Amino acid sequence: MPTSCKKELRKFEKSLPISLLRTREVTMRLFKPFIDDHDLTMPQWRVLRALAEDEALDAKALAERCVILPPSLTRIFRGLTQRGLIEQVPCTDARRHMVRLTPEGLALFEQVVQESEPTYRQLADAFGAERLDTLLDLLNELRDTVQQMQEDGPVAAPQMRKVAGIR
Amino acid sequence: MPTSCKKELRKFEKSLPISLLRTREVTMRLFKPFIDDHDLTMPQWRVLRALAEDEALDAKALAERCVILPPSLTRIFRGLTQRGLIEQVPCTDARRHMVRLTPEGLALFEQVVQESEPTYRQLADAFGAERLDTLLDLLNELRDTVQQMQEDGPVAAPQMRKVAGIR
DNA sequence: TATTGTTATACTCTATAACTATA
DNA sequence: TATAGTTATAGAGTATAACAATA
């Protein structure tokens, strides 16, 4: 490698969005085969996982938790429903599209969890369970911090511009 | 919210790929306006950023660092070249597509960095510069750990299946 | 009138495979 | 023969806007 400089390289590693992306990429690659084996996409898996923990959720909650935009979620609902993995739940508010796992969906979820557990344990051993925990806490706390910043209103310029609708 | 359980919710927060995704999502949303304002996509920005630090890189190195697949990179090269932000560099190995920033590309990079700096400082203040540093270190170390695991060869089943070409 | 979700649309990225050119 | 990159192609996600139904 010709023109690389240690100090400069460090800057790239110090970019938060890029570090998050790259770490997610390798981590995902580690677990993706388990998802692939059951012909699920990652967003589909996130939906199953969220539903496995909360029984029933509406589109809005799922969109936020799984980081999926409403139009994508509509398609994902269709796919998972056709495969009999989720089903709609009647809701007092008829606007809401509430769904839950079917028994088949729950079984599939549990199978994937079981199959991937050895790999997760292997990762925890290699990295250190305690450090992994610290990392997860920091990630979730950073998320809260940034969300707060965004709620508190834009102090810097570009957010304002975005709100103003320029672009 | 009806059927949520604190203990179960925690499990969702303890999923590494999902925490990485959600944290990246809010973080990216914080900085994306600065990129949007210059009509850049996030992958394009990552390429500019990598080149700003290494002068000249080939497609392979950029693909790995920026987490972009070769076909996407080909298109990104086209776009950035047309806009005069990067240019090809002659290389002894004629197979390699080596590129570097043009003066215009460097100027754009520096402008974006300057514009987004206040927001980054705001984030560092709110979260704590030291904790941010710890988080970045943990992220990069986890990436190394996982990469090592993948190089050391698949101990668990699904990677083997993938290597075997089933699916 | 505000909210929830779907539809429509365009663009980009993801992912493979097949191909070309060079080493 | 192996490697680097491009092309081709299919599919999925990203992002907005417009719309329908309900509150």
Side-chain angles (χ1 to χ4, degrees):
Chain A
M1 297 298 108
T3 53
S4 69
C5 162
K6 216 172 185 179
K7 189 180 148 209
E8 300 287 349
L9 255 172
R10 191 127 191 269
K11 267 167 66 185
F12 197 67
E13 300 239 310
K14 287 289 178 194
S15 163
L16 197 52
I18 291 173
S19 282
L20 289 167
L21 172 65
R22 294 182 68 184
T23 306
R24 174 169 177 261
E25 202 267 340
V26 294
T27 308
M28 220 176 56
R29 190 182 302 161
L30 197 62
F31 292 107
K32 196 167 173 297
F34 301 99
I35 311 298
D36 284 347
D37 277 357
H38 297 280
D39 284 309
L40 291 169
T41 65
M42 290 303 293
Q44 284 177 332
W45 169 248
R46 292 200 297 276
V47 169
L48 294 185
R49 171 152 197 159
L51 290 173
E53 295 181 8
D54 272 276
E55 189 158 344
L57 290 168
D58 62 11
K60 193 179 185 181
L62 280 169
E64 199 227 313
R65 287 204 205 177
C66 302
V67 191
I68 298 171
L69 291 180
S72 298
L73 201 52
T74 295
R75 237 178 315 149
I76 288 168
F77 278 171
R78 215 160 27 224
L80 294 178
T81 303
Q82 278 171 4
R83 288 179 60 180
L85 300 174
I86 66 172
E87 63 189 359
Q88 188 161 1
V89 180
C91 183
T92 53
D93 185 339
R95 289 174 304 181
R96 283 190 152 75
H97 192 148
M98 224 164 187
V99 295
R100 69 174 163 219
L101 290 185
T102 60
E104 293 76 22
L106 182 59
L108 179 58
F109 169 77
E110 283 173 346
Q111 192 183 347
V112 173
V113 167
Q114 191 195 323
E115 287 169 355
S116 62
E117 217 178 79
T119 298
Y120 189 85
R121 215 161 28 226
Q122 192 186 347
L123 173 61
D125 286 347
F127 188 68
E130 221 172 277
R131 295 174 79 209
L132 202 56
D133 231 55
T134 304
L135 174 55
L136 280 163
D137 287 343
L138 284 172
L139 283 173
N140 294 327
E141 285 162 28
L142 176 61
R143 199 183 69 220
D144 292 342
T145 301
V146 176
Q147 273 173 342
Q148 194 97 47
M149 278 174 65
Q150 284 163 345
E151 282 164 21
D152 288 354
V155 183
Q159 282 89 343
M160 287 176 66
R161 263 177 261 158
K162 201 186 185 185
V163 168
I166 300 173
R167 87 149 286 240
Chain B
M1 302 295 109
T3 53
S4 70
C5 162
K6 216 171 186 179
K7 189 180 146 209
E8 300 286 351
L9 253 172
R10 192 128 190 269
K11 266 167 65 184
F12 199 66
E13 300 239 311
K14 287 290 176 192
S15 163
L16 197 52
I18 292 173
S19 282
L20 288 167
L21 171 64
R22 295 182 67 185
T23 306
R24 174 168 178 260
E25 202 267 341
V26 294
T27 307
M28 222 176 54
R29 189 181 303 161
L30 198 62
F31 293 106
K32 195 166 174 297
F34 300 99
I35 311 299
D36 284 347
D37 276 359
H38 296 280
D39 284 308
L40 293 169
T41 65
M42 290 303 292
Q44 285 177 331
W45 168 247
R46 293 200 297 277
V47 169
L48 293 185
R49 175 156 191 154
L51 290 174
E53 296 181 8
D54 272 275
E55 190 158 344
L57 290 167
D58 62 11
K60 194 178 185 183
L62 280 169
E64 199 228 312
R65 287 204 204 175
C66 302
V67 191
I68 297 170
L69 292 179
S72 298
L73 203 52
T74 295
R75 234 176 318 139
I76 288 168
F77 277 172
R78 220 168 13 233
L80 293 178
T81 303
Q82 279 170 1
R83 286 178 60 180
L85 300 174
I86 65 172
E87 63 191 359
Q88 189 161 359
V89 180
C91 183
T92 55
D93 185 339
R95 291 174 302 182
R96 283 192 152 73
H97 192 148
M98 224 164 186
V99 295
R100 71 174 161 217
L101 290 184
T102 60
E104 292 77 22
L106 181 60
L108 179 58
F109 168 78
E110 283 173 345
Q111 191 183 348
V112 173
V113 167
Q114 190 195 323
E115 286 168 355
S116 62
E117 218 177 79
T119 298
Y120 190 84
R121 212 158 33 224
Q122 192 186 347
L123 172 61
D125 286 347
F127 187 68
E130 222 172 277
R131 296 174 78 209
L132 202 56
D133 232 55
T134 304
L135 174 55
L136 280 164
D137 287 343
L138 285 172
L139 284 172
N140 294 327
E141 285 163 26
L142 176 62
R143 200 184 68 221
D144 292 341
T145 301
V146 176
Q147 273 174 344
Q148 194 97 45
M149 279 175 63
Q150 284 163 347
E151 282 164 21
D152 287 352
V155 184
Q159 283 89 343
M160 287 176 65
R161 260 177 264 158
K162 201 189 185 184
V163 168
I166 300 174
R167 87 147 291 235

